[in-house]
């Protein structure tokens, strides 16, 4: 009877592992490279294996464009006033009409993708100390472990802002056997941890990253550097559970000390290099590469090149490297009329033409087919995807100054991004009081960071969801009817139901 029970448990685990594509705490048989002479499992045989896994972590994250970029924009832009879903269907429309449920397959793939990445970071974090290779120095062990902790923190920061209480997995579970089942089995189905504890783990990981990760490299912004840790700490300390605006200012200033500043031309961040205008007609105005990588404003980016391109660009509009590629069906993240109106509220904002582009297309769901707007910040298969940039952190410093009553200091920061955009300084009336400077600040973040996955989280962080989102449906005539009003339970999203079904220790978030 006991053996049948164990067989049943193992079969349940195997089914869950396969159907979830979920590897947060994998078995030794899957993660090891054999055994040592004492029959102890060896996860990394040597330094080469460590370096291989270190690179694998970066590549796995880079190539998971669905869950940390595409779906993040669906949430942060289409679930806010910045964009419509773009391609109406059962998975995207709920984000723009506020009817998201746990059955949403986008949320399921996001959860599974994040947790799988957590599992891979845990593998390096937990087992690098055991590598029996004298060529792997103590400094290298500390560095690689710190890098993995920064990546784990970045993943969990996305997860906790989306779902609130999520499982906190920091170890790698062992084999399930008849002897170990009582101790090991629960680790494969971890319960949720409260959001505050998740944030504290993120903070701990990032502080260790500050200690041992490499310094920022101006020539390579794909590395998990101390500057990445500083940027994430600034963002973490702006959030409510750990809010500490003094530390937001501290880490923003340290990033400036690392050499980060705004690039002079906003278009350098998202532009492309085009073919020679004297080239054959069929090749004219075709993107052949990104305009710039590793700018002084980029803190962390996923980079793509000819021969190793991003695929996600064709989800948003016309890929400029291949004008007609997959341009026969509706695209995601369609700029909203409300956002376009906000861009046009002041004449000459250069960010508008870098954020929104109009084409003729074969559909007229939200706009006339002959003048249809598209998200433009990822416009070719060679464009980098910028996960962290200095303008975001600089503006968070302005938020911190506002909280301290330093409205003039906040305005000075806002004026930096405004002047780069071709606009004049804020009028003096913008600093007349807290409400006025907050309005200017929120508008500036909205326009500066449009289509970069920030808007929804800004509204949540500053308790503006109900005020902004329950009003936008009446003033934006292109938006489908609202299904449910936004309230305090809307601030986090539902746990994927499939995940709950396969893990009895998970509880659905209130309101879903």
């Amino acid at each position: 009877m006991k053996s049948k029970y164990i067989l049943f448990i193992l079969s349940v685990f195997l089914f869950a592992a396969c159907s979830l594509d979920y590897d947060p705490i994998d078995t030794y048989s899957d993660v090891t490279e054999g055994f040592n002479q004492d029959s102890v499992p060896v996860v990394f045989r040597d330094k080469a294996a460590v370096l291989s896994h270190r690179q694998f972590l970066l590549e796995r994250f880079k190539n998971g464009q669905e869950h940390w970029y595409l779906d993040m924009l669906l949430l942060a832009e289409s679930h806010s006033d910045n964009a419509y879903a773009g391609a109406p269907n059962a998975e995207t429309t709920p984000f723009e009409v506020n009817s998201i449920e746990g059955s949403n397959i986008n949320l399921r793939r996001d959860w599974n993708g994040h947790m799988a990445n957590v599992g891979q970071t845990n593998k390096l974090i937990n087992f690098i100390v055991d590598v029996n290779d004298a060529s792997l120095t103590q400094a290298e062990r500390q560095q690689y472990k710190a890098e993995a902790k920064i990546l784990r923190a970045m993943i969990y920061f996305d997860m906790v802002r989306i779902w609130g209480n999520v499982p906190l997995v920091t170890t790698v579970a062992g084999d399930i056997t008849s002897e170990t089942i009582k101790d090991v089995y629960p680790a494969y189905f971890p319960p949720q941890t409260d959001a505050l504890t998740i944030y504290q783990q993120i903070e701990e990981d990032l502080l260790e990253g500050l200690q041992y990760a490499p310094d920022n490299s101006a020539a390579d912004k794909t590395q998990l550097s101390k500057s990445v840790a500083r940027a994430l700490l600034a963002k973490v300390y702006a959030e409510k559970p750990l809010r500490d605006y003094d530390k937001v200012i501290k880490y923003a200033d340290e990033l400036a000390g690392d050499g980060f500043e705004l690039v002079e031309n906003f278009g350098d961040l998202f532009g492309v290099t085009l073919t020679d205008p004297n080239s054959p007609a069929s090749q004219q105005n075709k993107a052949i590469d990104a305009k710039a990588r590793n700018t002084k404003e980029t803190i962390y980016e996923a980079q793509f090149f000819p021969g190793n391109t991003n695929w996600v660009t064709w989800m948003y509009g016309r890929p400029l490297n291949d004008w007609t590629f997959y341009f026969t069906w509706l695209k995601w993240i369609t700029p909203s009329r409300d956002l376009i109106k906000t861009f046009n509220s002041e004449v000459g904002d250069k960010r508008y033409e870098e954020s929104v582009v109009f084409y003729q297309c074969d559909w007229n769901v939200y706009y006339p087919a002959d003048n249809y707007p598209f998200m433009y910040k990822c416009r070719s298969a060679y464009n980098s995807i910028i996960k962290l940039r200095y303008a975001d952190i600089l503006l968070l410093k302005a938020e911190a100054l506002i909280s301290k009553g330093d409205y003039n200091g906040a305005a000075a920061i806002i004026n930096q991004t405004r002047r780069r955009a071709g606009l004049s300084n804020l009028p003096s009336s913008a600093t007349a009081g807290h409400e006025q400077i907050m309005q200017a600040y929120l508008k500036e973040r909205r326009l500066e960071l449009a289509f970069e996955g920030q808007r929804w989280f800004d509204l949540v962080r500053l308790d503006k969801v109900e005020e902004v989102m329950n009003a936008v449906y009446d003033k934006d005539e292109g938006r489908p009817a609202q299904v449910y009003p936004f309230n305090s339970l809307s601030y986090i999203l539902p746990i994927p139901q499939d995940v709950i079904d396969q893990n009895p220790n998970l509880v659905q978030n209130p309101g879903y």
Side-chain angles (χ1 to χ4, degrees), residues 77-78 80-86 96 333-344 352 355-356 358 366-367 373-375 446 450-451 455 469 472 475-480:
E77 309 297 331
S78 297
S80 76
D81 49 351
N82 275 2
Y84 313 128
E96 68 177 334
I333 324 298
T334 299
S336 71
R337 287 171 174 80
D338 190 68
L339 176 66
I340 291 172
K341 181 179 178 181
T342 304
F343 266 120
N344 290 323
Y352 181 33
S355 305
V356 180
F358 290 81
Y366 296 99
Y367 294 91
F374 296 88
M375 190 278 261
R446 185 183 187 189
F451 310 125
R455 178 61 172 173
M469 293 308 301
V472 74
K475 67 177 183 176
D476 187 335
E477 68 275 15
R479 188 175 294 271

Side-chain angles (χ1 to χ4, degrees), residues 217-233:
S217 169
D220 187 1
K221 301 301 181 65
T222 69
Q223 298 304 304
L224 296 161
S225 66
K226 286 183 172 68
S227 296
V228 173
R230 289 187 177 103
L232 287 169
L233 281 166

Side-chain angles (χ1 to χ4, degrees), residues 457-469:
F457 299 109
D458 285 349
L459 297 178
V460 169
R461 185 179 69 258
L462 296 169
D463 297 315
K464 295 289 185 180
V465 170
E466 295 96 327
E467 174 188 332
V468 171
M469 293 308 301

Side-chain angles (χ1 to χ4, degrees), residues 287-511:
I288 56 176
D289 206 350
K291 186 174 182 181
R293 298 183 182 91
N294 303 310
T295 71
K296 60 187 179 181
E297 186 168 341
T298 298
I299 300 169
Y300 185 76
E301 64 183 72
Q303 295 179 355
F304 304 90
F305 306 87
N308 183 18
T309 58
N310 76 62
W311 62 264
V312 75
T313 181
W314 46 261
M315 293 295 294
Y316 305 128
R318 288 189 181 276
L320 297 190
N321 53 291
D322 192 342
W323 183 254
T324 60
F325 184 72
Y326 283 168
F327 198 66
T328 56
W329 41 265
L330 282 73
K331 302 301 179 179
W332 286 29
I333 324 298
T334 299
S336 71
R337 287 171 174 80
D338 190 68
L339 176 66
I340 291 172
K341 181 179 178 181
T342 304
F343 266 120
N344 290 323
S345 63
E346 295 183 73
V347 177
D349 194 328
K350 297 176 183 177
R351 295 170 296 196
Y352 181 33
E353 64 183 17
E354 299 293 341
S355 305
V356 180
V357 66
F358 290 81
Y359 296 128
Q360 182 174 337
C361 60
D362 296 330
W363 54 90
N364 59 358
V365 175
Y366 296 99
Y367 294 91
D370 61 351
N371 194 36
Y372 209 95
F374 296 88
M375 190 278 261
Y376 199 46
K377 280 188 172 176
C378 185
R379 64 193 70 165
S380 86
Y382 314 132
N383 275 92
S384 294
I385 299 175
I386 301 173
K387 179 69 172 173
L388 296 167
R389 72 178 174 101
Y390 180 62
D392 175 15
I393 311 304
L394 185 62
L395 287 171
L396 285 178
K397 179 181 176 180
E399 181 180 314
L401 293 176
I402 292 171
S403 75
K404 294 177 171 297
D406 185 359
Y407 303 157
N408 289 326
I413 290 175
I414 294 170
N415 287 336
Q416 290 184 51
T417 52
R418 283 178 58 87
R419 287 195 297 269
R420 179 176 64 173
L423 302 176
S424 59
N425 287 344
L426 289 171
S428 57
S429 59
T431 58
H434 185 269
E435 183 62 28
Q436 292 90 330
I437 191 64
M438 279 301 298
Q439 287 181 0
Y441 170 71
L442 274 169
K443 177 182 177 182
E444 187 62 16
R445 275 191 68 87
R446 185 183 187 189
L447 300 184
E448 176 69 25
L449 302 170
F451 310 125
E452 295 182 48
Q454 303 297 332
R455 178 61 172 173
W456 168 257
F457 299 109
D458 285 349
L459 297 178
V460 169
R461 185 179 69 258
L462 296 169
D463 297 315
K464 295 289 185 180
V465 170
E466 295 96 327
E467 174 188 332
V468 171
M469 293 308 301
N470 288 329
V472 74
Y473 294 86
D474 290 333
K475 67 177 183 176
D476 187 335
E477 68 275 15
R479 188 175 294 271
Q482 184 178 19
V483 174
Y484 298 113
F486 289 85
N487 57 40
S488 60
L489 299 181
S490 307
Y491 283 43
I492 55 175
L493 272 58
I495 306 295
Q497 189 60 46
D498 283 0
V499 177
I500 293 177
D501 292 343
Q502 294 164 3
N503 182 351
N505 294 316
L506 296 181
V507 178
Q508 185 57 272
N509 283 327

Side-chain angles (χ1 to χ4, degrees), residues 5-6 9 175-186:
Y5 173 72
I6 294 171
I9 293 298
D175 284 327
I176 295 179
T177 68
S178 59
E179 290 77 21
T180 65
I181 189 168
K182 288 185 179 180
D183 296 327
V184 175
Y185 173 71

Side-chain angles (χ1 to χ4, degrees), residues 137-307:
T137 68
Q138 179 64 15
E140 289 172 329
R141 292 172 198 262
Q142 291 173 325
Q143 175 187 327
Y144 303 153
K145 182 177 180 179
E147 291 169 343
K149 285 198 168 187
I150 291 171
L151 181 56
R152 185 171 71 182
M154 185 155 55
I155 297 164
Y156 265 123
F157 184 57
D158 282 348
M159 290 191 73
V160 72
R161 291 196 300 166
I162 296 171
W163 291 292
N165 300 347
V166 296
L168 179 58
V169 181
T170 60
T171 60
V172 179
D175 284 327
I176 295 179
T177 68
S178 59
E179 290 77 21
T180 65
I181 189 168
K182 288 185 179 180
D183 296 327
V184 175
Y185 173 71
Y188 287 97
F189 299 95
Q192 287 142 295
T193 300
D194 66 279
L196 175 59
T197 302
I198 299 292
Y199 273 101
Q200 289 171 336
Q201 182 64 54
I202 293 169
E203 178 188 31
E204 178 183 319
D205 283 350
L206 294 174
L207 290 175
E208 183 169 332
L210 274 184
Q211 193 171 0
Y212 297 114
D215 292 334
N216 171 64
S217 169
D220 187 1
K221 301 301 181 65
T222 69
Q223 298 304 304
L224 296 161
S225 66
K226 286 183 172 68
S227 296
V228 173
R230 289 187 177 103
L232 287 169
L233 281 166
K235 293 178 74 66
V236 165
Y237 287 128
E239 298 289 329
K240 279 173 281 191
L242 291 182
R243 182 163 290 167
D244 186 334
Y245 279 129
D246 286 334
K247 290 181 180 177
V248 173
I249 294 170
K250 165 184 165 64
Y251 288 113
D253 289 346
E254 287 184 7
L255 284 169
D258 288 345
F260 291 95
E261 57 183 317
L262 303 180
V263 298
E264 289 76 13
N265 180 4
F266 185 81
D268 287 348
L269 296 166
F270 308 101
V272 293
T273 301
L274 301 174
T275 52
D276 190 308
N278 297 319
S279 60
S282 62
Q283 296 296 311
Q284 288 185 8
N285 297 318
K286 180 179 180 180
I288 56 176
D289 206 350
K291 186 174 182 181
R293 298 183 182 91
N294 303 310
T295 71
K296 60 187 179 181
E297 186 168 341
T298 298
I299 300 169
Y300 185 76
E301 64 183 72
Q303 295 179 355
F304 304 90
F305 306 87

